[in-house]
Amino acid sequence: MKKTNSLILGFLLLISLPASAFHCPIDMKKIDAALASNPNLDPQQLAEVRKLRSEGEAYHRSGRHGESVQALGQAMKILRIQ
């Protein structure tokens, strides 16, 4: 039973990684569009969003998609993007 559960968990992990990989570029585009519209943020928030956006892209390029989604999600939260 434990072996079956491990196999199922492994399979689910494998199929979820590509989904995360495709999610990152979409989030980056949303952040870029919001930044281009001159959002009403203070300079610290704007700097944090840009830092998180950059980190998210770097994580994505290195294959660390979970971390990319997390960083980009934080940037989107600051920008109030759904």
Side-chain angles (χ1 to χ4, degrees):
M1 189 68 164
K2 284 187 177 186
K3 187 174 182 177
T4 303
N5 288 343
S6 295
L7 289 173
I8 291 170
L9 182 61
F11 175 74
L12 292 174
L13 180 62
L14 282 175
I15 63 171
S16 69
L17 287 176
S20 293
F22 292 118
H23 197 272
C24 304
I26 293 168
D27 289 349
M28 287 186 270
K29 286 180 183 179
K30 288 179 182 179
I31 293 167
D32 293 343
L35 288 172
S37 71
N38 296 318
N40 187 19
L41 299 175
D42 65 51
Q44 280 185 324
Q45 289 175 311
L46 194 55
E48 181 69 9
V49 167
R50 288 186 174 136
K51 180 181 95 83
L52 290 165
R53 164 53 174 92
S54 179
E55 288 176 358
E57 183 172 5
Y59 287 139
H60 173 73
R61 289 179 187 247
S62 67
R64 297 163 60 185
H65 300 291
E67 291 163 291
S68 176
V69 169
Q70 184 178 3
L72 296 171
Q74 290 175 355
M76 291 172 62
K77 184 176 180 180
I78 295 168
L79 289 165
R80 295 178 193 95
I81 299 172
Q82 294 290 330

